[in-house]
Amino acid sequence: MKFMKLGSKPDSFQTDGNNARYVATELASDIVVSVGDVKFYLHKFPLLSKSARLQKLVATTDVGNGNEIDIHDIPGGPAAFEICAKFCYGMTVTLNAHNVVAARCAAEYLEMHENKEKGNLVYKIEVFLNSSILKSWKDSIIVLQNTKSLSPLSEELKLDTHCIDSIALKASVDVSAVDWSYSYNRKKLSEESANDTNWNGVRTKLVPNDWWVEDLCELGMDLYKRVIVHITNKGLVSHEVIGEALKAYAYRRLPGFSKGIQSGDLSKTRTIVEMIVQLLPSERSTVSCSFLFKLLKAAIWVDSADLTKDELIIRISQQLEEASVSDLLIKNRSEETLLYDVNVMHKILDEFKIQEQNFGADAAQDYKIQEMKRPGILSEASKLMVAKLIDGYLTEIAKDRNLPLPAFIDLAEVVSSYPRPSHDGLYRAIDMYLKEHPGISKSERKKICKLMNCKKLSADACTHAVQNERLPLRVVVQVLFFEQARAAASSGCSTPDLPKAMKNLNNGPHGSSRSATTNTEEDWDAVATAEELLALKGEIAALRLGNGIERSNSRDSKQYGDKAAISKMKRMFMSKRVFSKLLSSKSRQTENSGSDSSGSLGSAIPEEGKSTPSRKVRHSVS
């Protein structure tokens, strides 16, 4: 920290109790200066020779009150006045970043300018500020902090403006010219150098681009905003570093930000959140999608302005594919019926689709954008990741027993047109909803199952589905049929003709029929019995075993191949009997969809994606 000593005489100021100050000298004091609740017993000559204001006050003071003058409104209070008084007496006084602002404002108040005496206090402080304080990174921050309590005089003297200019200039300098002594966040340096065998007390590592962001977190909201705006306007710092600075400030200033704000000063928190959103660079991906979701959760909790929440929703939609399932879980307030705010998620998805439409329009109008963001693999990959993300989100919100079926279906249908090579995630979500809502009707069970394409279930998902007592029989039959068709195709043999009722299953959206010619609506919506599910499971096992035998004997003689083919045809014929039996088993169908005897879906189907908790520590942007 920089400092400057003024004067050469010993400090002879003494204290008499808590409210009296005097100078130890043979001369009796002839003036009393009251500053707040403290009285200074001093001498006129040294004071009046350097302070024009005190000279005026003494001239207008009534002699009858003992030459006592009151300057209760002096900036900095008794401590600042004592510095000025010691300077007038020529006593040694030390100025540093912590007291220089108060001394400067007090000297201005007392009118200690050059026209009163050469080398007066105002001049000496200005020299100290320009030559030392404003050239030091940490001292500039400390001085800027102190200007807040001494406003508005500090603003009139432009002390805050000079500090902001100095800070912005240093933050914008090329990192090759930055030394770690600029920053007083020394912990990071020692940690990085601990494992460096060449460390000898001299900086050997490159300074990261965001070396300054932690230090600025010490500033209050108003000053921090002014500094960030000034740095941004210079245009020498990347948008990613600005985003990292805002992220660091949020984690420092918002209590519980990493886990969700649920306490603290809501008004102050609201102001900080709205300020950070306002300062976010307009460029895409300057901050992570996870950070944007945290801001949105905080904005919802503290009831920020709709403009703030809408801005966050738009920004999130622009990089939604980067999010994790845990990011999407926005909890409702305690008085709400639903556990999670699905309406906000619906708005984000709607905005994502709008972004998709705008993307196509921009690419058609601007050749450069068309070259940079050519529609195709990247665009389809984003849709795929979002669809997969929503599948995981649906699985989580399905655990809420108060979640109505229309809300679940509406969210799923928003991304129904997006490519999904596998529907395992969607099946997992549907099964979870059926498990947590055993009381839904047959028609509702039919509606939710229509979201799924049985053709796109993996072998493990099919195995689970044919044993799942929560699914309608219609879905189980479809799963078994497509599993047999897949097995037949992989072995190079054609699938024998199946009954007409089974063929009708392949009609309609997602390979399912809306009506059957040989079965009633109750047949299709029925839930399979345990015996029927066991028979279906046996059929799949036998089919797989048969395929394995045929593959292992593919290099044997044609005679063995013919026997294998005949064996498979027999099994397929037997499977047709099982299908016919299942489709005619209306009298044995029961409502047992609420049973959980089929096991956990999570153990049967590998997880498609796992959410990664956000880090609590900040990473430097190099």
Side-chain angles (χ1 to χ4, degrees), residues 175-187:
V175 292
S176 61
V178 176
D179 186 84
W180 271 106
S181 62
Y182 273 22
S183 171
Y184 54 87
N185 184 22
R186 309 289 296 186
K187 184 178 180 182

Side-chain angles (χ1 to χ4, degrees), residues 437-455:
H437 302 78
I440 64 174
S441 64
K442 294 180 181 180
S443 60
E444 289 175 328
R445 191 180 296 113
K446 176 181 177 181
K447 288 180 181 178
I448 194 172
C449 288
K450 281 183 178 181
L451 297 170
M452 175 179 58
N453 187 347
C454 297
K455 290 182 180 180

Side-chain angles (χ1 to χ4, degrees), residues 26-37:
E26 297 179 354
L27 297 176
S29 62
D30 54 4
I31 183 174
V32 179
V33 181
S34 297
V35 183
D37 58 351

Side-chain angles (χ1 to χ4, degrees), residues 31 44 47-61 69 110-111 116:
I31 183 174
K44 291 181 181 180
L47 296 180
L48 304 187
S49 64
K50 292 181 172 60
S51 173
R53 187 182 187 93
L54 288 178
Q55 188 176 17
K56 296 174 186 176
L57 290 174
V58 169
T60 58
T61 300
I69 59 177
L110 295 174
E111 300 178 14
K116 186 64 177 173

Side-chain angles (χ1 to χ4, degrees), residues 30 38 51 61 91 160-161 180 209 231 238 282 304 342 356 373 375 378 380 454 461 468 471 477 533 546 605:
D30 54 4
V38 178
S51 173
T61 300
M91 298 178 185
D160 53 349
T161 302
W180 271 106
N209 291 332
I231 293 174
S238 69
S282 57
S304 294
V342 295
E356 176 191 355
K373 301 179 179 180
L378 182 60
E380 292 301 311
C454 297
N468 193 344
L471 296 178
V477 171
L533 293 174
I605 306 175

